Amino acid sequence: MTLRVTKRKTTKNMMPAVEKLAGVDLSECYQCKKCACGCPVSGHTEAPPSEIIRRLQLGAGDDILNSDIIWTCSSCETCHARCPMGIDMAAVMDALRILAVKRHAPTPKGDIPTFNRAFLKTVNIFGRTYDLAMIAAYKLRTATVMKDMHKLPAMLKKRKIAVLPPRGADKKTVKRIFDSIGRKKGIRQ
Ligand code: SF4
Ligand code: SF4
């Protein structure tokens, strides 16, 4: 029997693009793993944050954009606070999310990008998060309008969800921030 070993095709090294977007120098990471030890989600993902950096250092291509931690990272900044080299891992995750959306990478964790977009859209429009609009936008985009609807009356009764849009937000300033970041990073909201 002949065993054929073929060299795996790799795409372009992603590290420079991530470093540019995140404003970090990933070569400074020396794999102490303090970030991974403090990360609240790394135990539920395939690869902890330190491994993502190591893979980037080793020349990972587009396949790194399929990593589930990109979408489970809560941007809590614990890793950044613990890192002896001051590497802003939350910014790295943001950069990977932007690249994943731009390159239409598959998302391992359901509809998290759709949820993110629905959340940001409502903040952009109302100046603050507006749960009811966000849920409606998410459900329409994922065709899950009736799912969990039985929970709505109880949530409204307990005031877990506000019926009316938030008041008092500085909409103009928030919109200006969105526009400015969108222009800078080439994102369409
Ligand atoms: S804490 Fe910083 S230096 Fe240590 S592994 Fe994580 S990113 Fe690298
Ligand atoms: S910012 Fe993301 S990667 Fe860093 S500790 Fe928090 S959840 Fe983990």
Side-chain angles (χ1 to χ4, degrees):
M1 197 177 96
T2 311
L3 180 67
R4 187 186 292 184
V5 180
T6 51
K7 196 176 173 190
R8 200 171 153 227
K9 275 188 189 167
T10 52
T11 50
K12 205 176 155 200
N13 180 1
M14 297 293 293
M15 191 159 123
V18 173
E19 287 183 320
K20 192 174 172 203
L21 274 170
V24 296
D25 179 359
L26 294 180
S27 63
E28 289 185 339
C29 167
Y30 62 97
Q31 288 295 297
C32 69
K33 295 185 171 56
K34 281 192 171 189
C35 53
C37 293
C39 174
V41 303
S42 70
H44 308 284
T45 57
E46 287 158 13
S50 53
E51 189 179 316
I52 297 293
I53 294 193
R54 191 65 184 138
R55 284 173 61 194
L56 286 165
Q57 288 175 332
L58 293 173
D62 273 8
D63 56 333
I64 195 116
L65 302 176
N66 305 354
S67 309
D68 57 355
I69 196 167
I70 294 175
W71 299 107
T72 44
C73 166
S74 58
S75 303
C76 68
E77 296 273 2
T78 305
C79 49
H80 189 186
R82 290 173 65 102
C83 177
M85 301 309 291
I87 294 172
D88 186 350
M89 186 50 122
V92 170
M93 294 297 175
D94 275 346
L96 288 167
R97 279 185 210 127
I98 290 168
L99 292 167
V101 171
K102 273 188 179 170
R103 296 178 188 211
H104 306 288
T107 48
K109 293 278 179 184
D111 290 307
I112 296 174
T114 307
F115 182 85
N116 283 357
R117 272 195 289 274
F119 168 76
L120 290 171
K121 191 84 186 167
T122 55
V123 174
N124 193 354
I125 293 171
F126 299 100
R128 284 183 186 167
T129 179
Y130 178 25
D131 294 346
L132 209 55
M134 180 183 70
I135 292 167
Y138 174 77
K139 282 181 167 292
L140 284 171
R141 283 176 189 181
T142 54
T144 54
V145 174
M146 296 313 290
K147 194 180 172 201
D148 299 326
M149 278 304 267
H150 62 283
K151 294 175 184 166
L152 186 62
M155 292 184 85
L156 288 173
K157 195 173 166 189
K158 290 184 180 176
R159 298 188 179 182
K160 297 290 182 193
I161 294 178
V163 179
L164 298 173
R167 284 190 289 178
D170 186 351
K171 290 186 197 177
K172 272 188 186 169
T173 303
V174 173
K175 184 138 189 27
R176 207 169 58 235
I177 293 169
F178 270 85
D179 290 345
S180 161
I181 291 173
R183 275 196 304 278
K184 201 168 145 195
K185 298 204 170 178
I187 311 165
R188 197 160 47 87
Q189 300 295 339

mmCIF file of all heavy atoms in Angstrom, residues 28-67:
data_model
loop_
_atom_site.group_PDB
_atom_site.id
_atom_site.type_symbol
_atom_site.label_atom_id
_atom_site.label_comp_id
_atom_site.label_asym_id
_atom_site.label_seq_id
_atom_site.Cartn_x
_atom_site.Cartn_y
_atom_site.Cartn_z
ATOM 1 N N GLU A 28 6.065 40.131 19.749
ATOM 2 C CA GLU A 28 6.472 40.331 21.147
ATOM 3 C C GLU A 28 5.936 39.242 22.072
ATOM 4 O O GLU A 28 6.367 39.096 23.200
ATOM 5 C CB GLU A 28 5.976 41.699 21.629
ATOM 6 C CG GLU A 28 6.741 42.857 21.002
ATOM 7 C CD GLU A 28 6.335 44.187 21.578
ATOM 8 O OE1 GLU A 28 5.223 44.278 22.142
ATOM 9 O OE2 GLU A 28 7.125 45.139 21.449
ATOM 10 N N CYS A 29 4.945 38.503 21.610
ATOM 11 C CA CYS A 29 4.366 37.446 22.452
ATOM 12 C C CYS A 29 5.363 36.310 22.622
ATOM 13 O O CYS A 29 5.879 35.785 21.646
ATOM 14 C CB CYS A 29 3.076 36.924 21.814
ATOM 15 S SG CYS A 29 2.497 35.389 22.575
ATOM 16 N N TYR A 30 5.658 35.929 23.874
ATOM 17 C CA TYR A 30 6.603 34.819 24.103
ATOM 18 C C TYR A 30 5.913 33.616 24.743
ATOM 19 O O TYR A 30 6.555 32.783 25.366
ATOM 20 C CB TYR A 30 7.814 35.297 24.918
ATOM 21 C CG TYR A 30 7.491 35.813 26.303
ATOM 22 C CD1 TYR A 30 7.612 34.984 27.412
ATOM 23 C CD2 TYR A 30 7.075 37.112 26.495
ATOM 24 C CE1 TYR A 30 7.317 35.447 28.681
ATOM 25 C CE2 TYR A 30 6.781 37.586 27.773
ATOM 26 C CZ TYR A 30 6.904 36.749 28.857
ATOM 27 O OH TYR A 30 6.595 37.212 30.123
ATOM 28 N N GLN A 31 4.588 33.549 24.549
ATOM 29 C CA GLN A 31 3.819 32.345 24.910
ATOM 30 C C GLN A 31 3.876 31.989 26.401
ATOM 31 O O GLN A 31 4.013 30.824 26.770
ATOM 32 C CB GLN A 31 4.292 31.159 24.063
ATOM 33 C CG GLN A 31 3.860 31.254 22.614
ATOM 34 C CD GLN A 31 2.344 31.191 22.435
ATOM 35 O OE1 GLN A 31 1.718 30.201 22.756
ATOM 36 N NE2 GLN A 31 1.761 32.267 21.945
ATOM 37 N N CYS A 32 3.744 33.002 27.251
ATOM 38 C CA CYS A 32 3.684 32.706 28.688
ATOM 39 C C CYS A 32 2.317 32.138 29.068
ATOM 40 O O CYS A 32 2.152 31.533 30.105
ATOM 41 C CB CYS A 32 3.979 33.968 29.494
ATOM 42 S SG CYS A 32 2.666 35.210 29.359
ATOM 43 N N LYS A 33 1.324 32.396 28.241
ATOM 44 C CA LYS A 33 -0.044 31.874 28.396
ATOM 45 C C LYS A 33 -0.842 32.501 29.556
ATOM 46 O O LYS A 33 -1.835 31.941 30.011
ATOM 47 C CB LYS A 33 -0.045 30.357 28.518
ATOM 48 C CG LYS A 33 0.435 29.684 27.246
ATOM 49 C CD LYS A 33 0.313 28.185 27.318
ATOM 50 C CE LYS A 33 0.588 27.534 25.989
ATOM 51 N NZ LYS A 33 1.870 27.852 25.396
ATOM 52 N N LYS A 34 -0.382 33.631 30.053
ATOM 53 C CA LYS A 34 -1.154 34.323 31.102
ATOM 54 C C LYS A 34 -2.523 34.738 30.569
ATOM 55 O O LYS A 34 -3.500 34.764 31.296
ATOM 56 C CB LYS A 34 -0.399 35.556 31.601
ATOM 57 C CG LYS A 34 0.709 35.225 32.568
ATOM 58 C CD LYS A 34 1.220 36.480 33.239
ATOM 59 C CE LYS A 34 2.174 36.112 34.359
ATOM 60 N NZ LYS A 34 2.542 37.253 35.163
ATOM 61 N N CYS A 35 -2.560 35.090 29.297
ATOM 62 C CA CYS A 35 -3.837 35.503 28.693
ATOM 63 C C CYS A 35 -4.822 34.338 28.699
ATOM 64 O O CYS A 35 -5.985 34.490 29.085
ATOM 65 C CB CYS A 35 -3.626 35.999 27.268
ATOM 66 S SG CYS A 35 -2.737 34.845 26.207
ATOM 67 N N ALA A 36 -4.342 33.162 28.315
ATOM 68 C CA ALA A 36 -5.226 31.993 28.228
ATOM 69 C C ALA A 36 -5.734 31.596 29.612
ATOM 70 O O ALA A 36 -6.901 31.206 29.772
ATOM 71 C CB ALA A 36 -4.476 30.835 27.587
ATOM 72 N N CYS A 37 -4.865 31.715 30.645
ATOM 73 C CA CYS A 37 -5.265 31.307 32.004
ATOM 74 C C CYS A 37 -6.378 32.202 32.552
ATOM 75 O O CYS A 37 -7.210 31.750 33.334
ATOM 76 C CB CYS A 37 -4.072 31.360 32.941
ATOM 77 S SG CYS A 37 -2.845 30.126 32.539
ATOM 78 N N GLY A 38 -6.402 33.464 32.148
ATOM 79 C CA GLY A 38 -7.424 34.372 32.690
ATOM 80 C C GLY A 38 -8.662 34.493 31.819
ATOM 81 O O GLY A 38 -9.668 35.053 32.240
ATOM 82 N N CYS A 39 -8.602 33.967 30.626
ATOM 83 C CA CYS A 39 -9.707 34.158 29.676
ATOM 84 C C CYS A 39 -10.951 33.375 30.102
ATOM 85 O O CYS A 39 -10.881 32.160 30.284
ATOM 86 C CB CYS A 39 -9.262 33.724 28.279
ATOM 87 S SG CYS A 39 -10.594 33.764 27.076
ATOM 88 N N PRO A 40 -12.092 34.047 30.270
ATOM 89 C CA PRO A 40 -13.293 33.346 30.742
ATOM 90 C C PRO A 40 -13.914 32.405 29.708
ATOM 91 O O PRO A 40 -14.746 31.580 30.056
ATOM 92 C CB PRO A 40 -14.262 34.500 31.062
ATOM 93 C CG PRO A 40 -13.810 35.636 30.225
ATOM 94 C CD PRO A 40 -12.333 35.489 30.078
ATOM 95 N N VAL A 41 -13.523 32.525 28.456
ATOM 96 C CA VAL A 41 -14.152 31.669 27.444
ATOM 97 C C VAL A 41 -13.211 30.617 26.852
ATOM 98 O O VAL A 41 -13.662 29.739 26.126
ATOM 99 C CB VAL A 41 -14.771 32.509 26.287
ATOM 100 C CG1 VAL A 41 -15.777 33.509 26.790
ATOM 101 C CG2 VAL A 41 -13.698 33.189 25.457
ATOM 102 N N SER A 42 -11.917 30.698 27.176
ATOM 103 C CA SER A 42 -10.979 29.799 26.485
ATOM 104 C C SER A 42 -11.264 28.328 26.766
ATOM 105 O O SER A 42 -10.978 27.480 25.928
ATOM 106 C CB SER A 42 -9.528 30.153 26.817
ATOM 107 O OG SER A 42 -9.243 29.840 28.141
ATOM 108 N N GLY A 43 -11.854 28.023 27.913
ATOM 109 C CA GLY A 43 -12.181 26.631 28.237
ATOM 110 C C GLY A 43 -13.320 26.083 27.400
ATOM 111 O O GLY A 43 -13.561 24.876 27.386
ATOM 112 N N HIS A 44 -14.026 26.973 26.714
ATOM 113 C CA HIS A 44 -15.164 26.542 25.898
ATOM 114 C C HIS A 44 -14.879 26.662 24.408
ATOM 115 O O HIS A 44 -15.786 26.592 23.591
ATOM 116 C CB HIS A 44 -16.401 27.394 26.241
ATOM 117 C CG HIS A 44 -16.690 27.421 27.701
ATOM 118 N ND1 HIS A 44 -17.275 26.364 28.351
ATOM 119 C CD2 HIS A 44 -16.443 28.358 28.646
ATOM 120 C CE1 HIS A 44 -17.381 26.650 29.634
ATOM 121 N NE2 HIS A 44 -16.882 27.851 29.837
ATOM 122 N N THR A 45 -13.633 26.916 24.071
ATOM 123 C CA THR A 45 -13.291 27.093 22.658
ATOM 124 C C THR A 45 -12.224 26.080 22.246
ATOM 125 O O THR A 45 -11.568 25.482 23.105
ATOM 126 C CB THR A 45 -12.735 28.513 22.386
ATOM 127 O OG1 THR A 45 -11.603 28.711 23.224
ATOM 128 C CG2 THR A 45 -13.759 29.579 22.676
ATOM 129 N N GLU A 46 -12.063 25.942 20.939
ATOM 130 C CA GLU A 46 -11.078 24.971 20.445
ATOM 131 C C GLU A 46 -9.653 25.437 20.710
ATOM 132 O O GLU A 46 -8.770 24.631 20.939
ATOM 133 C CB GLU A 46 -11.276 24.755 18.943
ATOM 134 C CG GLU A 46 -12.523 23.945 18.622
ATOM 135 C CD GLU A 46 -13.010 24.181 17.200
ATOM 136 O OE1 GLU A 46 -12.268 24.769 16.393
ATOM 137 O OE2 GLU A 46 -14.149 23.786 16.918
ATOM 138 N N ALA A 47 -9.437 26.756 20.653
ATOM 139 C CA ALA A 47 -8.073 27.278 20.834
ATOM 140 C C ALA A 47 -8.097 28.500 21.744
ATOM 141 O O ALA A 47 -8.890 29.412 21.521
ATOM 142 C CB ALA A 47 -7.486 27.656 19.479
ATOM 143 N N PRO A 48 -7.248 28.527 22.786
ATOM 144 C CA PRO A 48 -7.174 29.717 23.658
ATOM 145 C C PRO A 48 -6.489 30.875 22.942
ATOM 146 O O PRO A 48 -5.846 30.678 21.910
ATOM 147 C CB PRO A 48 -6.349 29.214 24.847
ATOM 148 C CG PRO A 48 -5.533 28.107 24.300
ATOM 149 C CD PRO A 48 -6.326 27.470 23.192
ATOM 150 N N PRO A 49 -6.574 32.092 23.488
ATOM 151 C CA PRO A 49 -5.978 33.253 22.814
ATOM 152 C C PRO A 49 -4.491 33.108 22.526
ATOM 153 O O PRO A 49 -4.020 33.518 21.456
ATOM 154 C CB PRO A 49 -6.256 34.422 23.767
ATOM 155 C CG PRO A 49 -6.779 33.837 25.028
ATOM 156 C CD PRO A 49 -7.291 32.476 24.719
ATOM 157 N N SER A 50 -3.739 32.511 23.450
ATOM 158 C CA SER A 50 -2.282 32.364 23.226
ATOM 159 C C SER A 50 -2.016 31.501 21.988
ATOM 160 O O SER A 50 -1.065 31.755 21.235
ATOM 161 C CB SER A 50 -1.615 31.741 24.445
ATOM 162 O OG SER A 50 -2.279 30.543 24.796
ATOM 163 N N GLU A 51 -2.868 30.508 21.770
ATOM 164 C CA GLU A 51 -2.663 29.633 20.599
ATOM 165 C C GLU A 51 -2.959 30.378 19.292
ATOM 166 O O GLU A 51 -2.302 30.158 18.276
ATOM 167 C CB GLU A 51 -3.554 28.401 20.714
ATOM 168 C CG GLU A 51 -3.222 27.373 19.647
ATOM 169 C CD GLU A 51 -4.079 26.123 19.738
ATOM 170 O OE1 GLU A 51 -4.285 25.619 20.861
ATOM 171 O OE2 GLU A 51 -4.563 25.673 18.680
ATOM 172 N N ILE A 52 -3.941 31.265 19.354
ATOM 173 C CA ILE A 52 -4.251 32.062 18.160
ATOM 174 C C ILE A 52 -3.022 32.884 17.764
ATOM 175 O O ILE A 52 -2.639 32.933 16.599
ATOM 176 C CB ILE A 52 -5.456 32.999 18.431
ATOM 177 C CG1 ILE A 52 -6.730 32.185 18.726
ATOM 178 C CG2 ILE A 52 -5.684 33.976 17.276
ATOM 179 C CD1 ILE A 52 -7.257 31.387 17.554
ATOM 180 N N ILE A 53 -2.377 33.484 18.764
ATOM 181 C CA ILE A 53 -1.171 34.279 18.468
ATOM 182 C C ILE A 53 -0.059 33.387 17.931
ATOM 183 O O ILE A 53 0.607 33.717 16.953
ATOM 184 C CB ILE A 53 -0.690 35.051 19.716
ATOM 185 C CG1 ILE A 53 -1.725 36.103 20.091
ATOM 186 C CG2 ILE A 53 0.675 35.695 19.457
ATOM 187 C CD1 ILE A 53 -1.263 37.121 21.073
ATOM 188 N N ARG A 54 0.121 32.241 18.543
ATOM 189 C CA ARG A 54 1.190 31.343 18.101
ATOM 190 C C ARG A 54 0.968 30.896 16.651
ATOM 191 O O ARG A 54 1.909 30.854 15.853
ATOM 192 C CB ARG A 54 1.249 30.111 19.021
ATOM 193 C CG ARG A 54 2.485 29.274 18.800
ATOM 194 C CD ARG A 54 3.736 30.053 19.184
ATOM 195 N NE ARG A 54 4.961 29.334 18.919
ATOM 196 C CZ ARG A 54 6.048 29.865 18.400
ATOM 197 N NH1 ARG A 54 6.054 31.132 18.066
ATOM 198 N NH2 ARG A 54 7.128 29.159 18.229
ATOM 199 N N ARG A 55 -0.275 30.600 16.349
ATOM 200 C CA ARG A 55 -0.581 30.180 14.976
ATOM 201 C C ARG A 55 -0.301 31.315 13.990
ATOM 202 O O ARG A 55 0.204 31.090 12.898
ATOM 203 C CB ARG A 55 -2.038 29.718 14.882
ATOM 204 C CG ARG A 55 -2.241 28.328 15.487
ATOM 205 C CD ARG A 55 -3.694 27.942 15.553
ATOM 206 N NE ARG A 55 -4.324 27.901 14.246
ATOM 207 C CZ ARG A 55 -5.645 27.843 14.062
ATOM 208 N NH1 ARG A 55 -6.455 27.835 15.112
ATOM 209 N NH2 ARG A 55 -6.141 27.790 12.867
ATOM 210 N N LEU A 56 -0.627 32.548 14.410
ATOM 211 C CA LEU A 56 -0.332 33.696 13.542
ATOM 212 C C LEU A 56 1.172 33.852 13.363
ATOM 213 O O LEU A 56 1.664 34.087 12.260
ATOM 214 C CB LEU A 56 -0.950 34.973 14.121
ATOM 215 C CG LEU A 56 -2.473 35.098 13.981
ATOM 216 C CD1 LEU A 56 -3.021 36.190 14.886
ATOM 217 C CD2 LEU A 56 -2.871 35.395 12.523
ATOM 218 N N GLN A 57 1.922 33.693 14.462
ATOM 219 C CA GLN A 57 3.384 33.808 14.377
ATOM 220 C C GLN A 57 3.976 32.763 13.423
ATOM 221 O O GLN A 57 4.968 33.003 12.761
ATOM 222 C CB GLN A 57 4.010 33.624 15.764
ATOM 223 C CG GLN A 57 3.785 34.778 16.707
ATOM 224 C CD GLN A 57 4.315 34.475 18.103
ATOM 225 O OE1 GLN A 57 4.378 33.316 18.511
ATOM 226 N NE2 GLN A 57 4.681 35.517 18.832
ATOM 227 N N LEU A 58 3.326 31.609 13.387
ATOM 228 C CA LEU A 58 3.833 30.521 12.543
ATOM 229 C C LEU A 58 3.334 30.598 11.100
ATOM 230 O O LEU A 58 3.544 29.692 10.318
ATOM 231 C CB LEU A 58 3.453 29.168 13.157
ATOM 232 C CG LEU A 58 4.144 28.852 14.489
ATOM 233 C CD1 LEU A 58 3.586 27.584 15.106
ATOM 234 C CD2 LEU A 58 5.656 28.732 14.312
ATOM 235 N N GLY A 59 2.629 31.690 10.792
ATOM 236 C CA GLY A 59 2.251 31.906 9.393
ATOM 237 C C GLY A 59 0.883 31.396 9.018
ATOM 238 O O GLY A 59 0.654 31.034 7.860
ATOM 239 N N ALA A 60 -0.057 31.348 9.992
ATOM 240 C CA ALA A 60 -1.413 30.869 9.685
ATOM 241 C C ALA A 60 -2.043 31.704 8.577
ATOM 242 O O ALA A 60 -1.851 32.918 8.507
ATOM 243 C CB ALA A 60 -2.288 30.936 10.933
ATOM 244 N N GLY A 61 -2.800 31.052 7.728
ATOM 245 C CA GLY A 61 -3.508 31.736 6.646
ATOM 246 C C GLY A 61 -4.963 31.958 7.002
ATOM 247 O O GLY A 61 -5.324 32.065 8.184
ATOM 248 N N ASP A 62 -5.813 32.016 5.979
ATOM 249 C CA ASP A 62 -7.238 32.282 6.156
ATOM 250 C C ASP A 62 -7.929 31.352 7.147
ATOM 251 O O ASP A 62 -8.930 31.713 7.745
ATOM 252 C CB ASP A 62 -7.965 32.133 4.807
ATOM 253 C CG ASP A 62 -7.937 33.431 4.036
ATOM 254 O OD1 ASP A 62 -7.241 34.348 4.483
ATOM 255 O OD2 ASP A 62 -8.604 33.508 2.999
ATOM 256 N N ASP A 63 -7.399 30.135 7.294
ATOM 257 C CA ASP A 63 -8.080 29.157 8.148
ATOM 258 C C ASP A 63 -8.182 29.617 9.600
ATOM 259 O O ASP A 63 -9.066 29.171 10.334
ATOM 260 C CB ASP A 63 -7.412 27.779 8.049
ATOM 261 C CG ASP A 63 -5.928 27.829 8.393
ATOM 262 O OD1 ASP A 63 -5.321 28.897 8.199
ATOM 263 O OD2 ASP A 63 -5.400 26.805 8.849
ATOM 264 N N ILE A 64 -7.327 30.558 10.001
ATOM 265 C CA ILE A 64 -7.410 31.063 11.379
ATOM 266 C C ILE A 64 -8.741 31.799 11.617
ATOM 267 O O ILE A 64 -9.233 31.878 12.735
ATOM 268 C CB ILE A 64 -6.211 31.986 11.717
ATOM 269 C CG1 ILE A 64 -6.100 32.210 13.235
ATOM 270 C CG2 ILE A 64 -6.317 33.353 11.062
ATOM 271 C CD1 ILE A 64 -4.892 31.685 13.855
ATOM 272 N N LEU A 65 -9.339 32.283 10.526
ATOM 273 C CA LEU A 65 -10.600 33.023 10.634
ATOM 274 C C LEU A 65 -11.783 32.111 10.969
ATOM 275 O O LEU A 65 -12.872 32.578 11.283
ATOM 276 C CB LEU A 65 -10.894 33.790 9.338
ATOM 277 C CG LEU A 65 -9.805 34.782 8.907
ATOM 278 C CD1 LEU A 65 -10.158 35.410 7.579
ATOM 279 C CD2 LEU A 65 -9.601 35.864 9.958
ATOM 280 N N ASN A 66 -11.578 30.801 10.922
ATOM 281 C CA ASN A 66 -12.642 29.856 11.297
ATOM 282 C C ASN A 66 -12.634 29.562 12.798
ATOM 283 O O ASN A 66 -13.510 28.857 13.281
ATOM 284 C CB ASN A 66 -12.474 28.515 10.564
ATOM 285 C CG ASN A 66 -12.407 28.699 9.059
ATOM 286 O OD1 ASN A 66 -12.600 29.800 8.565
ATOM 287 N ND2 ASN A 66 -12.122 27.633 8.339
ATOM 288 N N SER A 67 -11.647 30.098 13.531
ATOM 289 C CA SER A 67 -11.529 29.784 14.967
ATOM 290 C C SER A 67 -12.740 30.285 15.731
ATOM 291 O O SER A 67 -13.158 31.438 15.574
ATOM 292 C CB SER A 67 -10.273 30.444 15.542
ATOM 293 O OG SER A 67 -9.159 30.136 14.762
#
